[in-house]
């Protein structure tokens, strides 16, 4: 299909309504690249046909959503975050929850799981400092394809090498078939106290408890201000008063909402509820 921006505007509008993604016109070429194979596979000649099929067929709807999302991720992305997490943030939270010895963590837009397992590695490396406090993680994403990989804990050689210290890879990963060229799989210890579920941040969501730490990194950049406000304020409702909200380095709450206060912890910007 020709890469004509006017052709993709209706799909961009549909995605904005369904998942909140605000796709600018100069990025419509990504829709052309990612949606054309779906349209070809299902015999859908026009964009309007694709939208109609997505409205009627849950599988096609999910295929379209999976193809529209951006899943760039790697282990230990943004080193200042992980240094602060291990040396300051998790120890502080461990003190706050000393009565139950459990830090509840929510990871939004977890992609293929690299961020989730980075958190687990840091918790494991610092378990004595944390006085053996458990880190219980609920990891979410709207993309069912990346959720499946995250849950499996299996990575290609390139994925397992990108951003990951070789010593940590040796400690927490095992080569598939004893052959690093076949990729790596996460060791079972990192899968303890970890669950995955699908979550559409654009919808009203519900969790059975509040969290001490919420990661929503490098995803708000895909939403407009109104949807950013809605998402952050929903997340704030599930954040304990002593807890922290972690956003991506390029994400700010200025002009979005004033219900959170922000401060630096070892060059890592964190956000807390005002109360």
């Amino acid at each position: 299909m020709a890469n004509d921006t006017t052709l993709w505007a209706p799909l961009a509008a549909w995605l904005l309504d369904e998942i909140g993604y605000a796709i600018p016109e100069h990025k419509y070429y990504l829709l052309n690249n990612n949606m054309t194979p779906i349209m070809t596979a299902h015999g859908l000649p026009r964009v309007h046909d694709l939208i109609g099929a997505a409205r009627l067929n849950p599988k096609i709807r999910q295929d379209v959503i999976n193809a529209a999302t951006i899943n760039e991720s790697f282990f230990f992305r943004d080193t200042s975050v992980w240094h602060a997490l291990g040396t300051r943030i998790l120890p502080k939270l461990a003190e706050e929850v000393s009565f139950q010895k459990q830090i509840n963590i929510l990871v939004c837009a977890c992609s293929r799981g690299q961020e989730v397992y980075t958190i687990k590695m840091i918790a494991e490396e610092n378990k004595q400092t944390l006085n053996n406090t458990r880190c219980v993680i609920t990891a979410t994403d709207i993309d069912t394809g990346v959720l499946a990989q995250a849950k499996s804990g299996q990575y290609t050689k390139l994925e397992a090498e990108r951003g990951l210290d070789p010593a940590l890879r040796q400690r927490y990963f095992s080569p598939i078939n004893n052959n690093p060229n076949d990729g790596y799989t996460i060791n079972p210890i990192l899968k303890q106290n970890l669950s995955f579920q699908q979550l559409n941040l654009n919808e009203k969501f519900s969790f059975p408890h509040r969290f001490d730490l919420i990661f929503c990194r490098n995803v708000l950049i895909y939403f407009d201000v109104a949807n950013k406000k809605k998402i952050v304020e929903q997340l704030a409702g599930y954040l304990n008063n002593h807890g922290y909200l972690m956003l991506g380095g390029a994400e700010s709450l200025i002009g979005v909402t004033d219900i959170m206060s922000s401060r630096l912890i070892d060059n890592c910007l964190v956000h807390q509820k005002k109360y």
Side-chain angles (χ1 to χ4, degrees):
M1 176 174 290
N3 188 13
D4 184 341
T5 57
T6 60
L7 294 176
W8 296 105
L11 183 61
W14 182 83
L15 287 166
L16 178 64
D17 185 59
E18 289 291 305
I19 64 173
Y21 271 31
I23 303 175
E25 188 173 302
H26 70 274
K27 291 291 183 70
Y28 284 3
Y29 74 92
L30 293 174
L31 295 179
N32 181 76
N33 294 345
N34 297 338
M35 300 301 165
T36 299
I38 299 174
M39 296 171 69
T40 301
H42 292 282
L44 303 168
R46 301 177 305 165
V47 173
H48 285 287
D49 297 324
L50 177 64
I51 297 169
R55 285 173 173 156
L56 295 174
N57 187 315
K59 183 182 183 307
I60 294 177
R61 177 183 181 275
Q62 190 61 57
D63 287 346
V64 171
I65 290 172
N66 289 0
T69 54
I70 308 297
N71 293 300
E72 170 67 11
S73 185
F74 52 92
F75 293 101
F76 288 89
R77 183 179 184 181
D78 302 328
T79 54
S80 62
V81 172
W82 309 117
H83 179 265
L85 186 68
T87 61
R88 297 281 302 279
I89 295 172
L90 287 181
K92 176 62 175 175
L93 291 176
E95 293 177 4
E96 294 282 357
V97 302
S98 58
F99 61 98
Q100 64 182 14
K101 297 186 74 65
Q102 177 170 305
I103 300 171
N104 290 312
I105 302 173
L106 173 65
V107 180
C108 301
C110 71
S111 189
R112 296 180 175 86
Q114 289 99 324
E115 184 172 67
V116 175
Y117 293 119
T118 296
I119 298 168
K120 295 292 284 186
M121 281 185 275
I122 290 171
E124 188 66 21
E125 290 290 292
N126 292 278
K127 63 183 178 181
Q128 290 187 340
T129 304
L130 302 179
N131 198 21
N132 290 315
T133 301
R134 294 184 304 275
C135 288
V136 178
I137 299 181
T138 301
T140 73
D141 203 285
I142 195 172
D143 186 328
T144 55
V146 295
L147 271 177
Q149 181 180 354
K151 189 172 183 179
S152 75
Q154 294 192 349
Y155 297 94
T156 66
K157 184 175 185 290
L158 179 61
E159 289 172 331
E161 291 177 348
R162 188 180 181 197
L164 186 59
D165 184 276
L168 292 177
R169 185 168 60 248
Q170 183 175 10
R171 193 172 305 147
Y172 295 110
F173 291 73
S174 299
I176 297 172
N177 302 319
N178 292 317
N179 183 356
N181 290 324
D182 290 342
Y184 290 82
T185 186
I186 288 285
N187 289 350
I189 193 171
L190 295 190
K191 290 188 175 184
Q192 294 176 4
N193 301 311
L194 172 61
S195 62
F196 293 92
Q197 67 182 68
Q198 188 180 29
L199 179 69
N200 184 348
L201 288 170
N202 194 49
E203 296 177 347
K204 184 174 177 58
F205 45 79
S206 176
F207 295 101
H209 57 75
R210 290 187 176 186
F211 297 91
D212 306 296
L213 183 58
I214 296 177
F215 285 79
C216 188
R217 301 178 67 239
N218 305 308
V219 63
L220 291 183
I221 54 176
Y222 300 109
F223 295 88
D224 59 23
V225 172
N227 281 322
K228 287 179 184 177
K229 177 181 174 65
K230 180 176 68 174
I231 292 167
V232 170
E233 294 185 353
Q234 271 209 90
L235 292 175
Y238 283 99
L239 186 65
N240 283 322
N241 288 340
H242 61 254
Y244 302 98
L245 170 66
M246 314 284 286
L247 302 179
E251 296 167 328
S252 169
L253 297 183
I254 297 174
V256 175
T257 179
D258 60 1
I259 68 168
M260 310 285 286
S261 61
S262 306
R263 66 188 180 95
L264 282 173
I265 298 180
D266 286 353
N267 294 318
C268 173
L269 188 66
V270 300
H271 310 274
Q272 291 185 286
K273 290 197 295 185
K274 295 178 181 178
Y275 64 95

